[in-house]
Amino acid sequence: MLEQVSQSKVFGGWHKQYTHPSDVLNCTMRFAIFLPPEASDSQPVPVLYWLSGLTCTDENFMQKAGAFRKAAELGIAIVAPDTSPRGDNVADDPQGAYDLGLGAGFYLNATQSPWDQHYHMYSYIVNELPSLIEKNFPVTSKRSISGHSMGGHGALTIGMKNPERYSSISAFSPICHPTACPWGQKALKAYLGDNQTAWQDYDATELLRKNACPLPMLIDQGEMDQFLEEQLKPWDLLEVADHQNCELTYQSHPGYDHSYYFIQSFIESHLQFHAQYLLGQKS
Amino acid sequence: MLEQVSQSKVFGGWHKQYTHPSDVLNCTMRFAIFLPPEASDSQPVPVLYWLSGLTCTDENFMQKAGAFRKAAELGIAIVAPDTSPRGDNVADDPQGAYDLGLGAGFYLNATQSPWDQHYHMYSYIVNELPSLIEKNFPVTSKRSISGHSMGGHGALTIGMKNPERYSSISAFSPICHPTACPWGQKALKAYLGDNQTAWQDYDATELLRKNACPLPMLIDQGEMDQFLEEQLKPWDLLEVADHQNCELTYQSHPGYDHSYYFIQSFIESHLQFHAQYLLGQKS
C-alpha cells in the first residue's frame, strides 16, 4: 500500500518519501518521514508530526528546517504530510489562488461542494496517517504535533481537540485566530459555508475559549513577520490562554520574519521541548 | 552598484541576497551572503566561498545545507554565488541540457564561441566577487573555498591555482578528474575547444599532478552517490595527492548519496575545518 519514492541517509538516520492511497482524502498522497539512527522494531521511537504552511508540500520542512541533527540526537522521528489532497480530480481555487484549494487544505474537514469530495485533512492528520505510520514504521504511539503558519493553526487546533492523542503542541508563526483574519475567513467560508458557528471548531482562539487545553504548548513568532498583524494575531490567543491558565510559552523574536530561516534558527528548541514529553522526562 | 533583493535574520545573523552588474561576466548576477551576528566594521569576519553544483543558484546551499548554526557560532561569513552567468542574452545549451550552459558554468573562463561572451566564472569567483564582497561587507580578506559536485571541482581547481588567496579548501562529492568523465569532457570541449592541453588547467587531478598544493584540503564523499564511479572519480585525485604528499583528508561515508541531506550531515565539520585556518588557530 505504501510506495517508496526516495530515500537519503542524513545524520545517520534516513529521510524517506512515500505515496499511498488515502481513503479519507479519496486520492493518492505523498508524505516524508525522518527516522533517527536507532529506530528499529526493537527500539521504536516517538513521532513529531509537522504541518506545513500555505503552498508547501512534504518537502519544504524536510529540506529547509535543519531539524535532523537534533532529531537524530534525541531519537525522534518526524513525519511531514502534504498540505492538501492532490491530483487531477481534486478541486482547486478557480482563480488559482495560493490560499485556497491545492496547498491550502487548512487541516479541516470540508462540508461544502466541491471541497467535500477530498478536503478532509483533519481526519487524515488525526487518524489515517498516524495509523499508517504506526503500522509500517518502527515508531511508538507517542505523538507530538507542530507546524508553521497555516500548519501552526493545524497543530494548535488538532492538538487542542485531541489531547489524548498528543503529548505536546508547538507552532512557528501560527494563524491563531482564523475566524478573525482574511486567510482564515476566506478558507472557512469556502470549506465550511456561511454558518460561522462551524468555523469556531477550527479556530485555536475560539477552541481555547471554550475548553482549556491540558497539553503544554510552545509558540515562537518573529517580530518582522509580514503577516503578524493582519493574519496571525497571536495576541488574541495569548489573552484567552492567560484567562484559561494554560501551559503556553510564547517567545517573540525581534528581527525574524516568516521564512524557514526563522524556523531553522529555533527548531532545535522545539525538538527539545517535545522531547521532554515524548521521551518521558516529563509527562 | 549592489541591489539588495532579500534579507532574513537567521541564527542571530543575516542571510541577504543581492544583484550587481558583473564586468567579467557581462551580465547581472545574484549572490547570497550569510553574515554572522558579530560581523561589523569594527569586527570584520573571514569568508567561506561556497560553489554549488549543476542546476543550482545562490539559493540551494543557503536553504538546504543547515550551515548557519555553526557559522554563526564560529563567526564566519558564507558567500554563495550563482553557478553560471544569467540573462536573456547569455548562451545556453541548444538542447537545454542541465550539464552545459545556464547553471553549468564549471568555474572556468570559456574561450570558444558563443560561450566566451559571458562564461568567465573563474575570473568572477577568483577576483571580481571577492573584491565586491570585501568592499561592501564587514569581512576580512581571509578566504576559504568549498563546494559540491561541479562546485567541488571549482573549489579544488580555484584553490589549487590560487593558494595565496585562500586558507583552506574543502569539497563534498567533487568532480575530481573532469578530463576523464562525461560531465567534464562535454563541458571542457564546449567551453575550451578540442585542445585537451587547455582542459588540464581546470582539472584538479591534472593540476595536482603538476604542482603539489600547499593548502589543507578536506573531501567528503558518500558511498551511495549515484555519480561516484562515472563522474566523480575521487580515487584518481587521491592517488596523485598521495604521490605529491599533500595535506588531503578524504572521508568516505557508507550509505550517503549525492544530495543536500549528505551535505547537511557533515557541513559543520567542514566549517570547523576551515575555522582552524581562517581564524588563525592554525595557518
Side-chain angles (χ1 to χ4, degrees):
Chain A
M1 203 163 96
L2 284 181
E3 196 166 323
Q4 189 170 320
V5 177
S6 78
Q7 70 168 17
S8 292
K9 195 171 178 181
V10 59
F11 284 102
W14 291 93
H15 173 270
K16 301 181 181 195
Q17 290 176 295
Y18 294 87
T19 57
H20 70 100
S22 163
D23 288 340
V24 301
L25 298 175
N26 192 21
C27 64
T28 297
M29 291 295 284
R30 191 176 71 188
F31 68 86
I33 185 168
F34 167 76
L35 289 166
E38 74 263 44
S40 66
D41 289 339
S42 62
Q43 198 172 340
V45 296
V47 181
L48 176 65
Y49 287 83
W50 173 269
L51 307 183
S52 285
L54 289 166
T55 78
C56 290
T57 67
D58 66 293
E59 294 190 328
N60 302 64
F61 177 83
M62 295 308 215
Q63 292 179 350
K64 297 181 177 179
F68 302 146
R69 195 187 75 97
K70 181 59 81 177
E73 182 189 309
L74 293 168
I76 295 174
I78 302 174
V79 170
D82 205 341
T83 55
S84 76
R86 299 277 179 181
D88 292 344
N89 299 321
V90 175
D92 193 11
D93 182 73
Q95 280 83 46
Y98 74 98
D99 55 2
L100 190 68
L102 299 179
F106 272 84
Y107 306 105
L108 51 73
N109 287 342
T111 58
Q112 305 298 301
S113 176
W115 311 107
D116 56 346
Q117 293 300 301
H118 298 279
Y119 284 76
H120 306 123
M121 287 297 289
Y122 177 81
S123 294
Y124 177 68
I125 300 297
V126 174
N127 295 308
E128 191 182 42
L129 184 60
S131 294
L132 194 73
I133 296 295
E134 288 159 28
K135 205 165 91 182
N136 289 282
F137 298 95
V139 300
T140 69
S141 57
K142 284 284 250 182
R143 310 172 201 103
S144 287
I145 192 160
S146 185
H148 173 233
S149 196
M150 175 183 75
H153 142 77
L156 290 169
T157 54
I158 286 173
M160 286 175 184
K161 291 165 79 168
N162 301 277
E164 75 292 353
R165 296 184 60 80
Y166 300 95
S167 299
S168 46
I169 305 171
S170 80
F172 287 86
S173 330
I175 303 173
C176 291
H177 200 179
T179 61
C181 79
W183 277 342
Q185 289 162 347
K186 177 177 176 179
L188 295 168
K189 187 178 162 73
Y191 295 137
L192 303 175
D194 291 329
N195 176 7
Q196 299 197 12
T197 311
W199 299 11
Q200 297 186 5
D201 204 31
Y202 295 107
D203 182 308
T205 299
E206 300 308 325
L207 287 167
L208 203 61
R209 205 189 304 278
K210 275 182 216 152
N211 292 298
C213 176
L215 299 182
M217 292 183 277
L218 171 65
I219 294 177
D220 280 79
Q221 175 64 55
E223 293 179 12
M224 292 290 280
D225 189 321
Q226 63 180 307
F227 303 112
L228 179 54
E229 303 276 342
E230 189 185 8
Q231 304 281 11
L232 307 181
K233 301 184 183 291
W235 305 286
D236 295 358
L237 181 69
L238 290 178
E239 194 187 318
V240 179
D242 188 49
H243 186 72
Q244 293 279 31
N245 231 339
C246 293
E247 195 181 332
L248 167 58
T249 303
Y250 178 80
Q251 302 179 140
S252 183
H253 302 276
Y256 286 90
D257 64 20
H258 199 68
S259 72
Y260 267 92
Y261 292 119
F262 170 52
I263 296 173
Q264 69 172 246
S265 300
F266 298 98
I267 190 65
E268 294 201 352
S269 70
H270 280 237
L271 288 160
Q272 199 80 62
F273 166 77
H274 292 296
Q276 296 174 71
Y277 307 98
L278 287 173
L279 301 172
Q281 292 140 328
K282 284 194 192 179
S283 66
Chain B
M1 204 161 96
L2 284 181
E3 197 167 321
Q4 190 171 319
V5 178
S6 78
Q7 69 167 20
S8 292
K9 194 170 178 181
V10 58
F11 284 101
W14 291 93
H15 173 269
K16 301 182 179 194
Q17 290 176 294
Y18 294 87
T19 57
H20 70 100
S22 164
D23 288 340
V24 301
L25 298 175
N26 191 23
C27 64
T28 297
M29 291 295 283
R30 191 176 72 188
F31 68 85
I33 185 167
F34 168 75
L35 289 166
E38 75 262 45
S40 66
D41 289 340
S42 62
Q43 200 173 338
V45 296
V47 182
L48 176 66
Y49 287 83
W50 173 270
L51 307 183
S52 285
L54 290 165
T55 76
C56 291
T57 68
D58 66 292
E59 294 190 329
N60 304 63
F61 178 83
M62 296 308 215
Q63 293 180 349
K64 298 181 178 179
F68 302 147
R69 194 186 77 97
K70 181 58 81 176
E73 181 189 311
L74 293 168
I76 295 175
I78 302 175
V79 171
D82 205 341
T83 54
S84 76
R86 299 277 178 181
D88 292 343
N89 299 321
V90 175
D92 193 10
D93 181 74
Q95 279 82 46
Y98 74 97
D99 56 0
L100 189 69
L102 298 179
F106 273 83
Y107 306 104
L108 52 72
N109 287 342
T111 58
Q112 306 297 301
S113 177
W115 311 106
D116 56 346
Q117 294 300 299
H118 298 280
Y119 284 76
H120 306 123
M121 288 296 288
Y122 177 81
S123 294
Y124 178 68
I125 301 297
V126 174
N127 295 306
E128 191 182 41
L129 184 61
S131 295
L132 193 75
I133 296 294
E134 287 159 29
K135 206 164 92 183
N136 290 282
F137 298 94
V139 300
T140 68
S141 57
K142 283 284 248 182
R143 309 172 201 103
S144 287
I145 192 161
S146 185
H148 173 232
S149 195
M150 175 184 76
H153 143 77
L156 289 169
T157 54
I158 285 173
M160 286 176 184
K161 290 165 78 167
N162 301 276
E164 76 292 353
R165 295 183 61 79
Y166 300 96
S167 299
S168 45
I169 305 172
S170 80
F172 287 86
S173 330
I175 303 173
C176 291
H177 200 179
T179 61
C181 78
W183 276 343
Q185 288 164 347
K186 177 177 176 179
L188 294 168
K189 187 177 162 74
Y191 294 138
L192 302 175
D194 292 328
N195 177 4
Q196 300 198 10
T197 310
W199 298 11
Q200 298 186 3
D201 204 32
Y202 295 107
D203 182 309
T205 299
E206 299 308 325
L207 286 166
L208 203 60
R209 206 189 300 281
K210 276 184 214 151
N211 292 297
C213 176
L215 298 181
M217 293 182 279
L218 171 65
I219 294 177
D220 279 79
Q221 175 64 55
E223 293 179 11
M224 291 291 281
D225 188 320
Q226 61 180 309
F227 303 113
L228 180 53
E229 303 276 342
E230 189 185 8
Q231 304 282 10
L232 307 180
K233 300 184 183 292
W235 305 287
D236 294 359
L237 181 69
L238 290 177
E239 193 187 320
V240 178
D242 187 50
H243 186 73
Q244 291 280 30
N245 231 339
C246 292
E247 195 181 332
L248 167 58
T249 303
Y250 178 82
Q251 302 179 142
S252 183
H253 302 277
Y256 286 90
D257 64 20
H258 199 68
S259 72
Y260 266 93
Y261 292 118
F262 171 52
I263 297 173
Q264 69 172 246
S265 300
F266 298 97
I267 189 66
E268 294 201 352
S269 70
H270 280 237
L271 288 160
Q272 199 78 61
F273 166 77
H274 292 296
Q276 296 174 72
Y277 306 98
L278 287 173
L279 302 171
Q281 292 141 323
K282 285 193 189 178
S283 67

